[in-house]
Amino acid sequence: MTKPQPDLQLIDRWEVIRMLGISESTLERMLVRDEHFPLPRRLGTRTVRWLKHEVESFIRSLEVVDYFGDGT
């Protein structure tokens, strides 16, 4: 049985920023510093897009925080 292929929807930087709730400069830092952050695909000389399912997978992989925990 083969694994179903994810929907290959391409999204631009503004959609990535919106999905993560971050600033443009934070996106730039993540691209440089976070080895687990998905890399964009080049469509043209000045056009890049991300695969939506890769960004969603990155979001799901983020650490869960016990917001009201005692910190121990």
Side-chain angles (χ1 to χ4, degrees), residues 30-32 34-41 49-51 54:
M30 291 175 79
L31 282 167
V32 171
D34 189 339
E35 65 186 39
H36 301 292
F37 192 77
L39 296 174
R41 302 322 203 256
R49 297 289 185 268
W50 281 259
L51 289 171
E54 289 183 355

Side-chain angles (χ1 to χ4, degrees), residues 57-72:
S57 179
F58 174 78
I59 292 169
R60 283 190 294 276
S61 75
L62 293 173
E63 177 184 2
V64 176
V65 177
D66 183 4
Y67 190 75
F68 295 105
D70 62 2
T72 58

Side-chain angles (χ1 to χ4, degrees), residues 15-53:
E15 180 65 11
V16 174
I17 288 168
R18 187 198 64 75
M19 288 174 70
L20 293 169
I22 59 175
S23 68
E24 188 175 3
S25 59
T26 299
L27 175 61
E28 296 295 331
R29 279 194 302 276
M30 291 175 79
L31 282 167
V32 171
R33 296 180 185 166
D34 189 339
E35 65 186 39
H36 301 292
F37 192 77
L39 296 174
R41 302 322 203 256
R42 181 167 301 284
L43 296 180
T45 56
R46 295 174 25 171
T47 305
V48 296
R49 297 289 185 268
W50 281 259
L51 289 171
K52 185 175 182 179
H53 76 273

